[in-house]
Amino acid sequence: MKLKLCFLALFVCSLSLQAQEYFPKNDGVKTKNSNYTAFTNAKIYVTPSNIIENSTLLIQNGKVKAVGSSVTIPKNAITIDLDGKNVYPSFIDIFSSFGISEPNKPKDSERPQYDASREGYYWNDHIMPEQRAIEKFSFDKKKAKELLEVGFGVVNTHVNDGIVRGTSMLVTLNENGNDNERIIAEDVAQFLSFEKSKSSRQAYPTSLMGAIALLRQMYYDANWYAGGNAESKDLSLEALNDNKKLPQIFAADDKLNDLRAAKLANEFQLNYLIKGGGNEFERIGEIKETEATYILPLNFPEAYDVSDPYMAGKIALEEMLLWNQAPTNPKVLAENEVRFAFTAADNKKLSDFKTNLLKAIKYGLDKTKALEALTTLPANLLKANETIGSLEKGRYANFLITSGDVFDKETILYENWVQGNKHVVNDMNIVDLRGDYSLKINGENYDLALTGEPDKLKPELKKGTTKIASSVDYTNGWFHLFFNPEGEKDEFVRLSSKISTSEKLIGNAVLPNGNEGTWTATRNSSAFKKEDKEEDTDSIYKVLPVTYPNKAFGMASLPVPRDILFKNATVWTSEDVGVLENTDVLVKNGKIAKIGTDLSSSGAEVIDATGKHLTAGIIDEHSHIAAASINEAGHNSSAEVTIEDVVNSEDSDIYRNLSGGVTTIQILHGSANPIGGRSAIIKLKWGEDPEDLLMEDRAKFIKFALGENVKQSNWGDAQTVRFPQTRMGVEQVFTDYFQRAQEYDKKWKAYNSFSSSKKKNTKAPRYDVELETLAEILNKERFISCHSYVQSEINMLMKVADKFNFNINTFTHILEGYKVADKMKEHGVGGSTFSDWWAYKYEVNDAIPYNAAIMHNQGVTVAINSDDGEMSRRLNQEAAKTVKYGGMSEEEAWKFVTINPAKLLHIDEHVGSIKEGKDADLVLWNNHPMSIYAIAEKTIIEGAVYYDYEEMKKKEKEIQKKKNELTNMMIREKNKGVKTKTPTVKEEEEFHCDTLIYQL
């Protein structure tokens, strides 16, 4: 830290030395130019909404001195006539890493690093609020030139590395200045993300949910530290608390991550400026509800090359839709009154930023909103509106001079002035010659087309239908055209002209034989008029409507609860009354209102269920679908993480599960550690946002695990660093954590019993999310689902629970449950098992398909689970296997996938059976529900139909129609010469207990 402070002191000192006016100057004259410069007769955009025609901009010493239609021009002023031209504030990029080099990567090692590599800082290397951009900044002239030529004058640059990245700096792109002049402000905003640092190998977090949990604990720690409760100094937390007053910019980079970031900000009363992913339009309702301001990238996806029908068929509909709809993202946000600024951060080529900005405007974005997003809004967000973002008096003289509307394609950007220094992009005096001409040379007629940039023309010369190779040079107002009329001989026609107008070119010609003559070229049309005509019909494609989710089988609108009367069904109640023949079930207001015969209800939709079977929705006690990450493997305990933070409402497995009659699942953390993360119990409401999937009144659960995975038996020889490495060690992990949680709980209970006055004089305990969660188990407020196989470990965990006076709720997998069923019954634990999985790893060699029946017969509450995204849609058939293996009755077998998992999850008051007053989570089958021929015709959740078999068949045809329509658009795009990309097959990640992936 001392070294860093010394470096910073030297850096600031060097800036100060450069600024001292009394220092000698030996590299030029010392007299400072304090002349005024007046730009007259221009259309000036002082702000996006304050536009003055025929006005004057007066600048001096890099600042705006006056602007308006009646500005008095001082005698010593340099006057530049901008008649017919526009002046705009230069653009601001609010999210940049300009001038900051990539972090140094640590040496590779197969062995993981679990502890932080720094002392005196936060316990996690990926939290670096003390990091300052100004300490790592070096002006990049090449990149500055690229940014200037797009229109940027100021960037807010930061170190693009880590979960908490530290503070940014506001710097101009003034090529002629020094850093002392360029740097407008230090420590402007604090940057955050969900991405780990590239400069550290520290393992934690290994998942998106781990990153969220780390941020959550960090904020708790910062508040605790600010209260003076810590015994030691933490430079990271001090910096974090100092930075709280700054704007907080969060790189989320995807619509669902936007919502996750906003939820975290709301939890701690923060206001994030959220950098989105360009797909916010797909969840615009939820995005608007965040009330956040967004930073939008303009990196619209390229069309696919769909010339190969086979490869084209592999492209996911959602990828094709994104290409089609992404250009509307800014317009949709603007229409919904969501504030946003733009950034070029995600554009590999800066020229694409301008191209996509113009495309967004063509797709409906208001030009005033576009200009605000590049000028006044980022200036206001960065609290720098008194110095940049407009051309009001006292602001920096950062402005663009253009030939016309800055958002019109034909407009030429002439100059970009930054802090009163001119950067020439295109010669302001150059005449734009682009267009089609009729060329005459000594009586010979040609057709000449000039395209490209105004100062870099590309010629196309024809005589009749014959193309003639030619080249152009256009510099300093002189136009020269060279071509070989014969093609084979090394003889050229040389044309030259001093340009004053673009309508008719007149000049001298030197023929191949040396004779001289004259030539004329008369303009037929402007290049832009021709291009605009093509774009009106080709470039602006029909935008397909957004669905929920915006992919295959998405819904045009979200389902709503309906009053439904099922008539004459065979009703599998999963209650003591059993199976009821020829029975009616009435659904009202999302609940099961009545069960009986000859029921009627005015206004209800009547469904004839004669010959069909009506059951409660299937419940999967152990699932890994519908999540963005499953394992947090960075520690041997990850009780601080929760699947609820990473529910993925757009996983196609949700729809597939609905087709198999599944309505409710528990998404469990994986088995990467003995103490895993907290669960999410969700209803499969296809199309809803993640928060709306979470079941109301759900119980609290957490995943524990035993066996091979948690001791890293199959992780490789290098993975021997983390404790435990044996089954004995696993027991010690549980004992140690519960002992510490017990002590933690006592501390908090004692502190909370103090009077207000005593609390003021007592240091508060540290709030630890991990230990808080484990204390909930001890207090019987949270329940354990434990991944288990071997009987010895099953016994061990029950003994640990007995020692700390709580019960294990569920042993999941439990393939040796038949060996300890009597002890399970005595302990009061349930079993959620596979029907007949066997021998897929060593510790399941003793599995038998009679396991479920044996545990059931011993009085254990038994469920059949999937632990697999594919099997979960056939749990009806998995339940049927227990009839064959163990002689279970059909009614009892069906309870294994309905009321029993509901009991294990403590949600049986709401779901799991057909009973009056319960949620109307129902499935209508065309056959016996455990038959391999059974089809779920309708899957209903809380009275709303989320899956309909007939509608599904219609959607299949709609998908093909949409893909065909989008394919034709992409073919047109390629035929126009627009760059396309090779098709790729995007497969959704299938998670399992042992899946380790950091997915954003």
Side-chain angles (χ1 to χ4, degrees):
M1 182 62 186
K2 288 181 180 178
L3 181 62
K4 288 187 177 180
L5 290 173
C6 289
F7 170 81
L8 177 58
L10 287 171
F11 180 80
V12 174
C13 183
S14 68
L15 297 183
S16 302
L17 289 172
Q18 292 177 26
Q20 302 306 323
E21 294 184 359
Y22 56 82
F23 273 49
K25 183 173 177 63
N26 296 299
D27 59 350
V29 297
K30 187 174 178 181
T31 303
K32 187 176 181 181
N33 183 356
S34 297
N35 287 343
Y36 290 90
T37 304
F39 300 85
T40 61
N41 303 315
K43 181 179 181 180
I44 300 179
Y45 286 71
V46 182
T47 67
S49 57
N50 181 12
I51 307 159
I52 310 174
E53 301 279 356
N54 299 317
S55 57
T56 296
L57 175 67
L58 184 67
I59 69 171
Q60 182 195 36
N61 296 332
K63 296 284 184 74
V64 175
K65 290 298 180 181
V67 62
S69 55
S70 57
V71 172
T72 301
I73 301 174
K75 290 182 179 181
N76 69 334
I78 300 169
T79 302
I80 299 174
D81 185 2
L82 296 182
D83 184 34
K85 298 178 176 62
N86 291 7
V87 175
Y88 296 86
S90 295
F91 301 156
I92 303 166
D93 193 336
I94 192 172
F95 191 101
S96 174
S97 56
F98 170 79
I100 309 291
S101 59
E102 286 286 319
N104 295 323
K105 292 184 178 180
K107 291 181 180 179
D108 290 333
S109 173
E110 292 183 358
R111 297 181 74 79
Q113 174 191 329
Y114 288 107
D115 297 324
S117 58
R118 308 173 301 163
E119 293 183 4
Y121 295 87
Y122 200 58
W123 60 267
N124 191 279
D125 284 346
H126 308 294
I127 303 297
M128 299 177 285
E130 71 283 352
Q131 192 165 242
R132 303 179 71 214
I134 195 168
E135 296 178 15
K136 299 175 182 289
F137 179 74
S138 177
F139 191 79
D140 186 339
K141 286 188 175 181
K142 181 180 177 182
K143 189 69 175 180
K145 183 175 183 293
E146 294 175 8
L147 288 162
L148 286 163
E149 293 184 355
V150 177
F152 289 101
V154 177
V155 294
N156 181 39
T157 189
H158 78 293
V159 182
N160 189 18
D161 181 61
I163 291 176
V164 180
R165 301 172 171 183
T167 59
S168 62
M169 60 187 287
L170 204 56
V171 60
T172 71
L173 301 172
N174 181 359
E175 294 179 306
N176 301 318
N178 54 53
D179 283 351
N180 189 44
E181 295 167 336
R182 296 184 189 111
I183 297 171
I184 298 174
E186 308 168 23
D187 302 322
V188 174
Q190 177 161 266
F191 279 70
L192 309 94
S193 78
F194 291 132
E195 295 189 22
K196 294 166 66 172
S197 169
K198 303 178 189 71
S199 61
S200 173
R201 291 179 47 254
Q202 188 171 4
Y204 187 87
T206 65
S207 65
L208 173 59
M209 62 181 165
I212 297 171
L214 176 58
L215 285 165
R216 182 177 287 118
Q217 185 63 61
M218 177 198 74
Y219 283 127
Y220 280 124
D221 287 345
N223 291 337
W224 175 75
Y225 188 89
N229 298 297
E231 297 292 340
S232 58
K233 195 174 184 66
D234 189 313
L235 296 174
S236 294
L237 293 182
E238 287 190 3
L240 184 70
N241 285 325
D242 288 343
N243 296 344
K244 280 186 177 180
K245 61 183 180 295
L246 303 176
Q248 307 288 306
I249 297 179
F250 199 107
D253 297 323
D254 173 75
K255 59 184 184 297
L256 294 186
N257 280 349
D258 295 348
L259 301 179
R260 291 171 184 132
K263 180 181 176 183
L264 183 66
N266 186 60
E267 187 176 344
F268 292 94
Q269 291 79 53
L270 299 170
N271 292 308
Y272 286 155
L273 307 177
I274 299 175
K275 177 178 174 283
N279 55 1
E280 285 68 30
F281 65 93
E282 296 183 337
R283 283 285 170 192
I284 189 57
E286 294 82 4
I287 293 293
K288 183 176 181 178
E289 287 177 2
T290 66
E291 298 183 354
T293 298
Y294 287 81
I295 300 169
L296 300 183
L298 289 174
N299 59 332
F300 304 146
E302 296 173 344
Y304 286 100
D305 181 352
V306 290
S307 51
D308 181 342
Y310 175 77
M311 289 303 297
K314 299 290 185 181
I315 306 170
L317 176 62
E318 63 185 292
E319 296 295 304
M320 302 180 82
L321 286 170
L322 184 62
W323 167 77
N324 173 256
Q325 299 162 343
T328 69
N329 193 51
K331 179 200 77 165
V332 172
L333 266 68
E335 288 176 344
N336 284 273
E337 299 180 341
V338 177
R339 293 200 311 167
F340 60 85
F342 286 131
T343 179
D346 294 349
N347 294 102
K348 293 180 180 178
K349 293 194 302 180
L350 278 169
S351 58
D352 290 342
F353 176 82
K354 182 180 178 183
T355 300
N356 289 338
L357 176 60
L358 300 186
K359 180 180 281 190
I361 290 168
K362 282 185 174 292
Y363 275 80
L365 174 63
D366 177 73
K367 290 182 178 181
T368 301
K369 288 287 185 185
L371 189 56
E372 288 174 353
L374 288 163
T375 56
T376 51
L377 185 57
N380 285 327
L381 295 174
L382 298 174
K383 302 177 182 177
N385 52 304
E386 294 297 319
T387 54
I388 58 173
S390 74
L391 295 177
E392 294 172 316
K393 183 179 178 180
R395 294 349 182 237
Y396 279 112
N398 299 343
F399 57 92
L400 311 174
I401 300 174
T402 68
S403 64
D405 187 328
V406 72
F407 298 127
D408 286 348
K409 184 176 181 180
E410 62 266 32
T411 294
I412 302 168
L413 173 57
Y414 291 124
E415 295 172 2
N416 187 349
W417 289 66
V418 180
Q419 293 180 305
N421 289 287
K422 177 172 67 173
H423 175 85
V424 177
V425 180
N426 289 292
D427 185 352
M428 200 187 307
N429 299 313
I430 197 168
V431 177
D432 189 356
L433 299 182
R434 292 175 295 177
D436 294 334
Y437 294 85
S438 295
L439 174 64
K440 290 186 179 182
I441 309 170
N442 283 3
E444 295 286 333
N445 295 322
Y446 299 85
D447 293 317
L448 174 65
L450 297 175
T451 59
E453 296 300 318
D455 60 342
K456 296 177 183 178
L457 295 173
K458 296 178 181 179
E460 183 179 289
L461 185 65
K462 288 183 180 179
K463 187 173 179 62
T465 58
T466 304
K467 288 186 178 181
I468 302 173
S470 58
S471 62
V472 161
D473 179 65
Y474 183 30
T475 54
N476 299 323
W478 280 92
F479 175 85
H480 302 280
L481 177 68
F482 309 88
F483 68 92
N484 184 342
E486 299 298 330
E488 296 179 0
K489 297 179 180 179
D490 194 18
E491 298 175 342
F492 293 91
V493 174
R494 292 168 288 164
L495 310 182
S496 61
S497 174
K498 181 66 174 176
I499 302 300
S500 59
T501 177
S502 62
E503 296 306 313
K504 189 170 185 179
L505 314 184
I506 302 174
N508 296 321
V510 179
L511 304 178
N513 59 12
N515 293 337
E516 295 188 7
T518 60
W519 65 278
T520 62
T522 305
R523 170 173 269 179
N524 299 323
S525 68
S526 163
F528 293 107
K529 291 179 182 177
K530 180 180 178 181
E531 289 176 14
D532 284 348
K533 184 176 179 181
E534 289 176 354
E535 288 177 1
D536 286 342
T537 57
D538 292 335
S539 289
I540 306 302
Y541 298 108
K542 169 188 172 184
V543 178
L544 272 59
V546 172
T547 60
Y548 305 95
N550 200 33
K551 62 191 304 184
F553 300 102
M555 299 186 177
S557 59
L558 294 174
V560 295
R562 291 147 47 176
D563 291 350
I564 304 172
L565 178 59
F566 294 95
K567 299 287 289 182
N568 301 320
T570 299
V571 179
W572 294 63
T573 66
S574 296
E575 291 282 342
D576 291 340
V577 293
V579 178
L580 306 176
E581 302 286 347
N582 302 317
T583 299
D584 302 346
V585 176
L586 176 64
V587 172
K588 293 194 73 171
N589 301 319
K591 299 288 185 180
I592 298 169
K594 191 173 291 188
I595 303 168
T597 56
D598 299 322
L599 299 182
S600 62
S601 178
S602 61
E605 174 188 352
V606 178
I607 295 177
D608 183 4
T610 303
K612 299 179 181 181
H613 298 250
L614 188 69
T615 70
I618 291 172
I619 299 170
D620 191 354
E621 185 274 339
H622 186 143
S623 178
H624 296 305
I625 71 168
S629 54
I630 285 297
N631 269 303
E632 176 44 63
H635 292 153
N636 55 21
S637 168
S638 55
E640 74 281 357
V641 310
T642 173
I643 297 287
E644 290 190 3
D645 283 336
V646 291
V647 172
N648 177 12
S649 57
E650 305 194 347
D651 185 351
S652 298
D653 278 330
I654 293 175
Y655 192 72
R656 296 189 184 107
N657 272 241
L658 287 167
S659 75
V662 182
T663 56
T664 303
I665 65 173
Q666 176 180 215
I667 312 175
L668 281 168
H669 186 276
S671 54
N673 33 24
I675 300 175
R678 291 166 279 164
S679 309
I681 299 176
I682 69 168
K683 291 196 176 186
L684 302 184
K685 297 179 179 179
W686 179 242
E688 302 280 1
D689 71 86
E691 289 299 306
D692 286 336
L693 264 61
L694 294 172
M695 184 176 179
E696 294 182 8
D697 301 320
R698 58 193 178 278
K700 296 178 180 180
F701 272 81
I702 187 171
K703 172 75 174 290
F704 276 34
L706 306 169
E708 295 178 9
N709 294 358
V710 303
K711 63 187 185 72
Q712 301 178 302
S713 298
N714 305 312
W715 291 36
D717 293 339
Q719 299 289 336
T720 58
V721 178
R722 195 189 78 184
F723 182 84
Q725 292 291 306
T726 65
R727 296 178 194 264
M728 293 182 292
V730 173
E731 179 180 10
Q732 293 309 306
V733 168
F734 294 139
T735 301
D736 177 65
Y737 269 97
F738 281 125
Q739 182 62 41
R740 291 195 293 122
Q742 196 173 66
E743 293 168 7
Y744 168 88
D745 194 42
K746 286 180 180 178
K747 285 182 183 178
W748 269 107
K749 285 176 178 175
Y751 179 79
N752 288 330
S753 69
F754 294 162
S755 64
S756 299
S757 59
K758 188 173 180 180
K759 282 183 179 179
K760 290 180 180 179
N761 298 312
T762 305
K763 289 186 176 182
R766 173 178 175 265
Y767 186 88
D768 187 313
V769 180
E770 180 182 41
L771 294 179
E772 189 75 20
T773 301
L774 297 176
E776 288 177 341
I777 298 171
L778 297 175
N779 293 323
K780 300 179 174 58
E781 298 166 354
R782 185 174 296 275
F783 307 103
I784 295 173
S785 281
C786 185
H787 164 114
S788 56
Y789 289 105
V790 178
Q791 63 169 329
S792 58
E793 289 188 296
I794 296 165
N795 278 325
M796 174 271 289
L797 186 57
M798 287 191 289
K799 289 177 181 177
V800 170
D802 289 340
K803 178 179 179 180
F804 288 95
N805 193 32
F806 69 89
N807 284 66
I808 306 300
N809 188 86
T810 310
F811 281 116
T812 188
H813 303 324
I814 191 69
L815 295 188
E816 290 190 19
Y818 67 93
K819 296 181 180 180
V820 289
D822 55 341
K823 294 179 180 179
M824 290 174 63
K825 168 65 176 176
E826 182 181 350
H827 182 77
V829 61
S832 181
T833 189
F834 299 135
S835 59
D836 58 357
W837 283 26
W838 173 74
Y840 51 89
K841 58 180 176 177
Y842 183 79
E843 64 185 352
V844 301
N845 280 354
D846 283 359
I848 60 173
Y850 298 91
N851 185 46
I854 292 173
M855 287 192 294
H856 169 78
N857 292 337
Q858 286 291 319
V860 175
T861 301
V862 175
I864 300 291
N865 69 59
S866 73
D867 189 23
D868 181 81
E870 178 63 24
M871 180 181 287
S872 56
R873 66 193 185 99
R874 290 193 295 272
L875 278 173
N876 60 320
Q877 297 173 27
E878 295 299 298
K881 292 177 183 178
T882 63
V883 177
K884 175 179 175 61
Y885 299 110
M888 301 298 302
S889 70
E890 291 182 356
E891 289 181 34
E892 287 302 315
W894 190 247
K895 289 179 181 179
F896 285 178
V897 291
T898 53
I899 191 63
N900 285 9
K903 289 177 179 177
L904 293 177
L905 295 174
H906 299 259
I907 54 175
D908 50 304
E909 288 186 7
H910 308 286
V911 295
S913 65
I914 298 179
K915 182 179 180 181
E916 292 178 6
K918 283 194 173 187
D919 294 350
D921 294 2
L922 304 168
V923 185
L924 183 65
W925 305 85
N926 70 341
N927 208 322
H928 189 295
M930 288 186 285
S931 167
I932 61 171
Y933 302 107
I935 292 173
E937 293 189 347
K938 293 183 190 297
T939 303
I940 298 166
I941 300 175
E942 294 171 13
V945 179
Y946 282 91
Y947 174 83
D948 184 293
Y949 181 70
E950 294 301 322
E951 288 297 316
M952 181 272 293
K953 291 193 288 186
K954 291 179 183 177
K955 286 182 186 296
E956 287 181 329
K957 294 179 179 179
E958 289 174 5
I959 291 166
Q960 292 306 315
K961 182 180 177 182
K962 285 181 180 179
K963 291 191 73 171
N964 185 60
E965 190 173 3
L966 291 165
T967 297
N968 287 331
M969 292 181 193
M970 290 182 177
I971 290 172
R972 286 164 58 191
E973 190 82 342
K974 183 181 180 182
N975 289 343
K976 288 190 312 172
V978 177
K979 183 182 177 183
T980 55
K981 60 184 177 182
T982 303
T984 55
V985 180
K986 181 180 178 181
E987 296 182 357
E988 293 182 79
E989 185 72 29
E990 292 287 343
F991 292 130
H992 299 280
C993 273
D994 55 355
T995 302
L996 298 174
I997 184 172
Y998 197 105
Q999 180 171 307
L1000 291 181

